Amino acid sequence: YAYVSKVKANGQIDITFGNAGYVAFTTYFTFNDMVFEPGTQKIIVTGMKSVTKSTIARLHANGFMDASFGTLGSTEVASGNSSTYYQIEDIHIDYSNKYVITGKYYTTMGIPTFTQVVVMRYETDGSLDHSFDTDGKVFLNSAATGSYEEGRKIFATINNDYYICCGSYVNGSNWNYGLVKLQSNGLVDHSFGSNGWRIYDLTNQGETEVLLNAEMMSNGNILMTGNQGSGDTVHFALLMVKPDGTVDHTFAP
């Protein structure tokens, strides 16, 4: 089962949190990321409920569910089809205190199979923000056909535009690092890169490159990290890009 636990600085479980230090979710939850809400220190966790529903839960700082959020503290969005799934990877609170999540929306059955970046934006009461692409949800691929993308991390600018760091598999090639930029209304920013996308082949040799994590620097740069290579030789890799998506050549050789 998924759970949230609080640990003291000395490594001991804080038994004043939740139920003797834990809050357990016993009905097929998977949590992959959490943030603290500025000012309130409420705990916002995101992931999936079963494999077909994305979910967010909000807890008070003491570990008890915040019943003013969603339905008794949690909210969910169903994929709408038994053969399509969500895998939510990251949550971020933007400069309007709205919650944005990203991950992948995918099917492994039927024709065609697909993997898309999904981005959802929520109001602080747990409802989808319908000012974001009319329904609060955006599904993205870098190319119309032959493209598979998975959202890993999402960051907001001061204008509440969004950068989504992705794993990208394009036109039967190998996985590469990817970056897409959305405007605050949920539409792709076509002034960024090529139709809103930047795809990075780190060695320009068509090798497998799997993006696993990222962080936005104080100057707006984005540092991406993960694996490079396959088979017997897999490297740890770092890639620094500027806010316009171009590679920052002042970082590393």
Side-chain angles (χ1 to χ4, degrees):
Y1 300 130
Y3 69 91
V4 180
S5 181
K6 185 177 180 182
V7 181
K8 297 179 181 179
N10 64 3
Q12 299 295 314
I13 298 294
D14 185 347
I15 61 173
T16 67
F17 179 82
N19 182 15
Y22 296 88
V23 180
F25 295 77
T26 59
T27 52
Y28 307 106
F29 282 88
T30 302
F31 289 138
N32 290 332
D33 196 37
M34 67 184 298
V35 290
F36 294 96
E37 190 171 58
T40 68
Q41 287 302 292
K42 290 182 179 180
I43 303 163
I44 321 297
V45 291
T46 190
M48 294 78 68
K49 185 179 181 180
S50 70
V51 292
T52 60
K53 298 176 181 178
S54 67
T55 189
I56 298 177
R58 187 167 74 191
L59 289 71
H60 294 292
N62 61 10
F64 292 102
M65 297 289 287
D66 181 357
S68 67
F69 179 80
T71 302
L72 299 178
S74 68
T75 186
E76 60 190 46
V77 174
S79 65
N81 190 315
S82 60
S83 63
T84 56
Y85 314 95
Y86 284 117
Q87 182 171 314
I88 303 303
E89 296 284 358
D90 191 43
I91 186 168
H92 185 77
I93 300 177
D94 72 12
Y95 286 88
S96 295
N97 290 323
K98 296 186 179 184
Y99 308 153
V100 286
I101 63 175
T102 192
K104 68 177 178 179
Y105 174 68
Y106 67 104
T107 180
T108 58
M109 302 172 63
I111 298 175
T113 60
F114 64 86
T115 301
Q116 295 177 294
V117 173
V118 60
V119 181
M120 301 184 198
R121 188 167 75 188
Y122 292 81
E123 305 284 3
T124 54
D125 63 0
S127 61
L128 284 166
D129 179 3
H130 290 272
S131 69
F132 185 73
D133 197 45
T134 72
D135 64 355
K137 298 175 286 185
V138 175
F139 303 92
L140 302 161
N141 283 113
S142 63
T145 58
S147 171
Y148 295 81
E149 271 85 25
E150 305 177 358
R152 295 278 194 267
K153 297 286 289 186
I154 185 166
F155 305 105
T157 71
I158 192 68
N159 298 319
N160 286 329
D161 293 338
Y162 305 106
Y163 290 99
I164 302 96
C165 300
C166 316
S168 180
Y169 186 94
V170 182
N171 295 326
S173 180
N174 291 296
W175 286 94
N176 295 303
Y177 290 17
L179 185 64
V180 58
K181 187 178 181 184
L182 297 183
Q183 300 175 78
S184 60
N185 59 7
L187 299 180
V188 173
D189 183 352
H190 289 284
S191 68
F192 179 82
S194 175
N195 294 320
W197 286 84
R198 295 271 189 177
I199 307 297
Y200 306 96
D201 182 352
L202 301 186
T203 63
N204 296 311
Q205 296 179 4
E207 298 173 325
T208 297
E209 295 158 352
V210 181
L211 174 68
L212 298 176
N213 209 340
E215 188 61 65
M216 179 174 277
M217 305 287 101
S218 59
N219 63 355
N221 277 9
I222 296 175
L223 178 64
M224 291 183 274
T225 184
N227 297 335
Q228 190 284 323
S230 59
D232 293 334
T233 306
V234 179
H235 300 95
F236 169 73
L238 290 167
L239 172 68
M240 183 77 77
V241 300
K242 299 177 182 179
D244 65 0
T246 57
V247 174
D248 185 351
H249 290 286
T250 66
F251 178 82

